[in-house]
Amino acid sequence: MLSGVSQVAAQTPSDNAQQRVEARLQDAPFYQNVLKASALLPENMQQRSISCTLAQSEKNNPEYKSSRQSRLNEPGWEQRISADWDYFGETEPDTKVLVIDHRQQGDEMAYRYLANGHSQDTLYEPWSTSKVMAITGAISKARSQGVGARSLAGGYVPVADLITSIHTYQPFGKANGNSNAIATYMVNAAGRDYITGLFQGNWLKLSNSTVGLRGGYYVEIFNPGAPFWLDTESEKQAAMPILTANTADPGYRSYRCETCGLTGNKPMTTLAQAEWLKRLAVHERDKMTRHPNLTGEDVQTLFYGDGHSDSEHPHGGMIMGISRLIPHALSRALGGNVSSAKNVLDQHNEGNWRIFQKIGWGPSETRGKSEMAMLAHLCLPGVMGGREFTLAAHTGVEGDAEVRVNDAAKKMQRLLDLTMKTLLTMSQDK
């Protein structure tokens, strides 16, 4: 949940922050019933596609541009996309949200980028939402050696179990539930130079050269038992190192390193995070922006946890990400309420809606604030002819006391309520 901002020997984030927050907020209803709540799942989970059913339009709506039109595979694409950086109007101070709105135009996917207050390129601490980047990097590193996500870390633990445990913060299959330690193992196995390179010239080609992942999540590092991933079908192994300390990675930087600002050693933006997740979500539909190593099977494992070993739970992956902030916001926007969120979404979408999400939060002594971050991909096939969004958001409140995290979360709920109401009450042709 937390990546932590407090320092331990100026090298690693605090490994006590999450426990302190839990202790202080264990009786807070919003924290327990909304923020920490298990995922709401759609009625129909038989259909396991990541693709979202969208009304196909032959008309080339100038509000949307395809990857080809924006040349998303070339540097400087941020200046060529269709964007309204103040689409959501006036929002509360210290709030950032960016939505990539998807549209099917002929045989191409097309997009428009919508934000609040020109916040799309403002650096922030992404907290645990950046674990999606850690997972992507680790799978990519293994795939470059011929081994994918449906493999066994250390020859024993299904990678899908690790992915699911990162998102649920609970033991899952053969994964122990220590999300921070598992994600730190993923970062170390991939290498911080490698993951940061994916933000830069090796994949996203961002203009903002300060975006990257140089930190970790925990002092303790998950150990699967052996430094490789095993594909049991081919018997291939991919070398995936197990470091004894984060500092053993040459790409590691301490939280307040010389080149690190107040946002620390994992500085990201809503544009960077949303674009990363969007490209994964359209992997099979938009060849121009595909990850250079990943396959459709790898992305499927991230989103649905295919290949996991937990017989008590049929579903895994990012769809199991905790919190009900987004479904509550969607329900309100569609005329329902909090208690009816699942029913409202099922009824509007014939049980085929999807929310793939990762949240993160924590108190920051460095910035004197408590913060929350959200990264998600949404599919609403029955709403307005079919709507699909990728979203990244961040909120902060003054005060770094653990109890203030709950206030940052409530602020996130208000921001998401406004975002969904705006998206679902305005035409795509706005």
Side-chain angles (χ1 to χ4, degrees):
M1 214 159 307
L2 307 177
S3 60
V5 174
S6 304
Q7 291 305 104
V8 175
Q11 292 294 324
T12 54
S14 170
D15 49 345
N16 296 317
Q18 182 174 344
Q19 289 83 355
R20 293 200 310 268
V21 171
E22 295 282 342
R24 295 290 183 88
L25 295 177
Q26 60 183 347
D27 296 323
F30 187 85
Y31 182 80
Q32 295 295 336
N33 300 330
V34 181
L35 192 55
K36 276 194 63 187
S38 60
L40 289 178
L41 295 177
E43 186 68 25
N44 180 13
M45 283 292 289
Q46 300 304 310
Q47 187 272 106
R48 311 274 289 181
S49 173
I50 299 171
S51 296
C52 191
T53 302
L54 302 175
Q56 191 170 93
S57 173
E58 298 298 331
K59 177 185 175 184
N60 187 6
N61 186 331
E63 294 295 316
Y64 296 75
K65 286 185 178 180
S66 67
S67 295
R68 174 184 54 82
Q69 291 171 314
S70 299
R71 304 199 308 280
L72 283 178
N73 60 339
E74 300 176 16
W77 56 265
E78 298 98 325
Q79 305 304 315
R80 297 187 293 269
I81 56 178
S82 175
D84 183 343
W85 300 131
D86 202 25
Y87 182 85
F88 295 106
E90 186 174 349
T91 58
E92 294 182 65
D94 209 350
T95 61
K96 294 172 279 294
V97 62
L98 182 136
V99 170
I100 305 176
D101 184 11
H102 301 227
R103 179 184 176 98
Q104 186 74 43
Q105 293 190 158
D107 59 356
E108 289 185 309
M109 291 294 297
Y111 317 97
R112 62 174 178 169
Y113 293 69
L114 312 170
N116 71 321
H118 298 264
S119 62
Q120 73 280 358
D121 205 37
T122 302
L123 292 173
Y124 57 78
E125 161 66 58
W127 300 94
S128 286
T129 60
S130 61
K131 291 175 183 176
V132 174
M133 290 74 197
I135 295 167
T136 306
I139 297 173
S140 172
K141 200 64 176 287
R143 178 59 74 181
S144 69
Q145 303 173 64
V147 176
R150 293 184 196 174
S151 58
L152 302 179
Y156 174 71
V157 184
V159 172
D161 288 1
L162 299 178
I163 292 170
T164 307
S165 197
I166 283 174
H167 284 88
T168 63
Y169 294 88
Q170 297 293 326
F172 190 89
K174 295 178 180 177
N176 63 12
N178 192 331
S179 176
N180 289 339
I182 296 170
T184 302
Y185 160 69
M186 294 275 193
V187 172
N188 289 339
R192 290 158 179 81
D193 288 340
Y194 179 74
I195 297 175
T196 297
L198 292 174
F199 279 110
Q200 305 303 328
N202 296 334
W203 186 31
L204 296 195
K205 297 179 170 63
L206 294 174
S207 296
N208 190 336
S209 61
T210 59
V211 173
L213 200 165
R214 297 290 184 184
Y217 303 93
Y218 212 25
V219 175
E220 179 186 344
I221 303 168
F222 175 79
N223 187 337
F228 62 83
W229 287 8
L230 172 67
D231 183 323
T232 56
E233 290 188 7
S234 68
E235 296 300 321
K236 284 186 177 180
Q237 292 185 7
M240 301 293 280
I242 303 170
L243 304 185
T244 57
N246 295 325
T247 51
D249 179 358
Y252 175 80
R253 301 290 182 272
S254 62
Y255 194 83
R256 292 306 306 275
C257 71
E258 290 184 4
T259 59
C260 299
L262 290 179
T263 48
N265 52 10
K266 293 188 289 291
M268 297 184 191
T269 65
T270 54
L271 180 59
Q273 288 203 284
E275 183 66 17
W276 184 296
L277 184 57
K278 181 265 284 184
R279 293 190 184 196
L280 294 178
V282 298
H283 180 90
E284 296 293 332
R285 294 174 282 169
D286 197 334
K287 296 180 181 179
M288 181 172 283
T289 59
R290 281 180 177 172
H291 190 284
N293 287 336
L294 300 188
T295 67
E297 181 180 278
D298 296 329
V299 178
Q300 186 82 10
T301 302
L302 168 61
F303 279 69
Y304 284 104
D306 289 1
H308 72 75
S309 69
D310 194 325
S311 59
E312 295 183 5
H313 298 89
H315 314 299
M318 200 171 183
I319 202 167
M320 296 296 290
I322 63 169
S323 108
R324 299 184 179 179
L325 294 163
I326 290 178
H328 286 180
L330 286 171
S331 181
R332 292 187 181 103
L334 294 171
N337 55 41
V338 167
S339 61
S340 64
K342 175 176 162 52
N343 289 337
V344 168
L345 289 169
D346 280 335
Q347 290 168 8
H348 276 83
N349 301 281
E350 297 182 347
N352 290 311
W353 54 279
R354 297 289 185 270
I355 298 174
F356 306 99
Q357 65 179 356
K358 184 72 192 76
I359 61 170
W361 64 75
S364 165
E365 295 175 7
T366 304
R367 294 179 293 281
K369 295 181 179 181
S370 293
E371 299 170 335
M372 180 177 177
M374 171 68 78
L375 179 62
H377 185 77
L378 292 68
C379 171
L380 306 171
V383 176
M384 300 173 69
R387 303 301 301 272
E388 182 177 12
F389 312 114
T390 310
L391 175 148
H394 186 274
T395 59
V397 297
E398 293 299 322
D400 59 2
E402 286 80 8
V403 293
R404 294 288 281 157
V405 168
N406 204 39
D407 297 319
K410 290 179 178 179
K411 193 173 188 178
M412 175 65 75
Q413 183 70 80
R414 294 192 297 271
L415 177 63
L416 293 174
D417 286 351
L418 171 65
T419 300
M420 297 307 161
K421 181 179 179 181
T422 304
L423 288 169
L424 300 183
T425 57
M426 293 185 179
S427 167
Q428 281 183 287
D429 297 323
K430 174 183 178 291

